[in-house]
Amino acid sequence: YVGEVVNSNIAFYDTLGNLLYSNTLYNFFSPLSPSNNFIFDPKIAYDPLGGRWLVLALQQNSGNSESNYYLAVSQSSNPLGSWYYYALDATLDGSTPSNNWADYPGLGFNDWGIFITSNQFDWNGSFSYPKLRVLDKTAAYNGTLNSWHDFWNLSYSSSLSLIHI
């Protein structure tokens, strides 16, 4: 399969280029009830070690000071099958509320974790700091993800070789 996401749509094709699935991001993330919210900056990846598709998008409702990482994980290597959906509160730093929302996401993974990065901005639009959210891949892949570890207010050292937390 080949997966494609843009700010408005998601699609999957076979390797010959035939369209197999197409939907809006709003409809794709409908299990998270995204009506009247802004969904943007999607990312898609396939994890060959875990045999799963990952779709990340940001969700924001500035009127409610709401910002989430929307994460969808396929339940198998077939993106046309069932998915697990998670809305992860991006205004939290760990479990501490902040006055920030997420923008410019990144998505990565290894054999044990899923990694989401973002730049955090206050509700007036000023940059606050970068954030890294670490998720347990096993929990995400079996539908039981309910916690995370955050690293925020990250900065580079003067040598650009170390990150201070």
Side-chain angles (χ1 to χ4, degrees), residues 91-155:
T91 67
L92 296 176
D93 292 338
S95 60
T96 304
S98 75
N99 190 32
N100 296 306
W101 59 279
D103 202 359
Y104 305 106
L107 174 66
F109 53 86
N110 65 12
D111 58 336
W112 59 265
I114 299 171
F115 309 96
I116 299 171
T117 61
S118 60
N119 286 331
Q120 301 299 109
F121 291 84
D122 68 27
W123 292 101
N124 294 320
S126 296
F127 175 76
S128 297
Y129 48 80
K131 179 161 60 175
L132 167 66
R133 179 159 290 177
V134 180
L135 309 173
D136 180 305
K137 189 163 97 169
T138 300
Y141 283 17
N142 68 25
T144 61
L145 181 67
N146 60 14
S147 65
W148 56 77
H149 296 283
D150 282 346
F151 302 90
W152 65 94
N153 207 19
L154 302 171
S155 64

Side-chain angles (χ1 to χ4, degrees), residues 34-97:
S35 63
N36 299 321
N37 292 308
F38 182 44
I39 299 176
F40 61 105
D41 286 354
K43 306 290 184 198
I44 191 168
Y46 180 72
D47 175 3
L49 295 174
R52 303 297 177 95
W53 287 89
L54 304 168
V55 178
L56 172 70
L58 297 178
Q59 174 272 328
Q60 183 195 65
N61 185 324
S62 57
N64 295 338
S65 298
E66 180 180 293
S67 176
N68 285 289
Y69 303 111
Y70 275 6
L71 178 66
V73 178
S74 66
Q75 293 183 22
S76 72
S77 61
N78 182 350
L80 308 179
S82 298
W83 291 75
Y84 296 117
Y85 293 91
Y86 305 99
L88 309 171
D89 189 341
T91 67
L92 296 176
D93 292 338
S95 60
T96 304

Side-chain angles (χ1 to χ4, degrees), residues 3-44:
E4 173 186 54
V5 292
V6 295
N7 268 343
S8 57
N9 293 327
I10 183 169
F12 289 97
Y13 301 84
D14 65 20
T15 55
L16 298 176
N18 298 305
L19 179 65
L20 303 175
Y21 173 86
S22 179
N23 209 337
T24 67
L25 279 181
Y26 283 99
N27 287 337
F28 179 76
F29 283 110
S30 64
L32 300 176
S33 303
S35 63
N36 299 321
N37 292 308
F38 182 44
I39 299 176
F40 61 105
D41 286 354
K43 306 290 184 198
I44 191 168

